[in-house]
């Protein structure tokens, strides 16, 4: 037969275990999400001095050999999706804004703000979000 004190003590210990498991779970989930980050492109598909629009969300460039940059593909002027990368510039087809393919900075307006930079990782020739 369990006394009231024994129930409280055992319940407290069980609660601590549940709390421990609950707090450990988000870290495990984050680690598995990082490991499972989808591949956006292969390094071979990004031309040197050019770039590629990926999923209509990202623009990945290779301004120098082996250096890859990723930015939002959403123009900061009116929200159009940029369409191409050429001559070191990311080009928006809607109103002619151009961005530096290495930094995302505005080269020619009407856009006034740079493209937002996205963190990426390159592993074994595959580019994914970091």
């Amino acid at each position: 037969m369990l006394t009231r004190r024994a129930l409280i003590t055992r319940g407290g210990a069980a609660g601590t275990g549940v709390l421990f498991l609950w707090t450990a779970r988000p870290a495990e989930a984050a680690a598995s999400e990082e490991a499972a980050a989808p591949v956006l492109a292969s390094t071979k598909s990004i031309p040197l001095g050019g770039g590629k629009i990926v999923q209509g969300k990202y623009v990945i460039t290779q301004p120098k050999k082996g250096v890859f940059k990723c930015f939002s593909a959403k123009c900061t002027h009116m929200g159009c999706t940029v369409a191409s990368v050429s001559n070191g510039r990311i080009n928006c087809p809607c109103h002619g804004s151009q961005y530096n393919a290495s930094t995302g900075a505005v080269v020619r307006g009407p856009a006034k703000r740079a493209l937002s930079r996205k963190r990426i990782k390159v592993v074994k020739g595959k580019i994914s979000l970091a």
Side-chain angles (χ1 to χ4, degrees):
M1 181 164 141
L2 293 174
T3 65
R4 188 172 175 187
R5 181 174 287 170
L7 280 173
I8 291 170
T9 303
R10 288 182 185 171
T16 303
V18 170
L19 180 61
F20 174 75
L21 290 174
W22 181 75
T23 57
R25 277 251 191 248
E28 291 171 6
S32 67
E33 286 177 17
E34 279 186 4
V39 173
L40 298 176
S42 72
T43 55
K44 291 179 182 179
S45 70
I46 311 299
L48 178 60
K52 178 179 179 180
I53 312 305
V54 180
Q55 301 172 356
K57 293 181 178 182
Y58 310 103
V59 56
I60 301 175
T61 65
Q62 184 180 190
K64 296 178 186 174
K65 186 173 177 139
V67 176
F68 298 92
K69 306 286 183 162
C70 183
F71 307 95
S72 168
K74 187 175 180 180
C75 178
T76 60
H77 175 240
M78 295 291 289
C80 293
T81 301
V82 297
S84 64
V85 182
S86 59
N87 300 319
R89 294 184 177 190
I90 300 167
N91 307 297
C92 180
C94 294
H95 301 105
S97 290
Q98 294 183 333
Y99 302 88
N100 182 297
S102 183
T103 65
V106 176
V107 174
R108 185 175 99 189
K112 300 212 184 301
R113 290 179 290 117
L115 293 174
S116 63
R117 193 164 184 187
K118 304 295 180 184
R119 292 184 49 208
I120 55 172
K121 60 184 175 182
V122 180
V123 178
K124 296 181 181 176
K126 303 292 182 193
I127 302 169
S128 58
L129 293 175

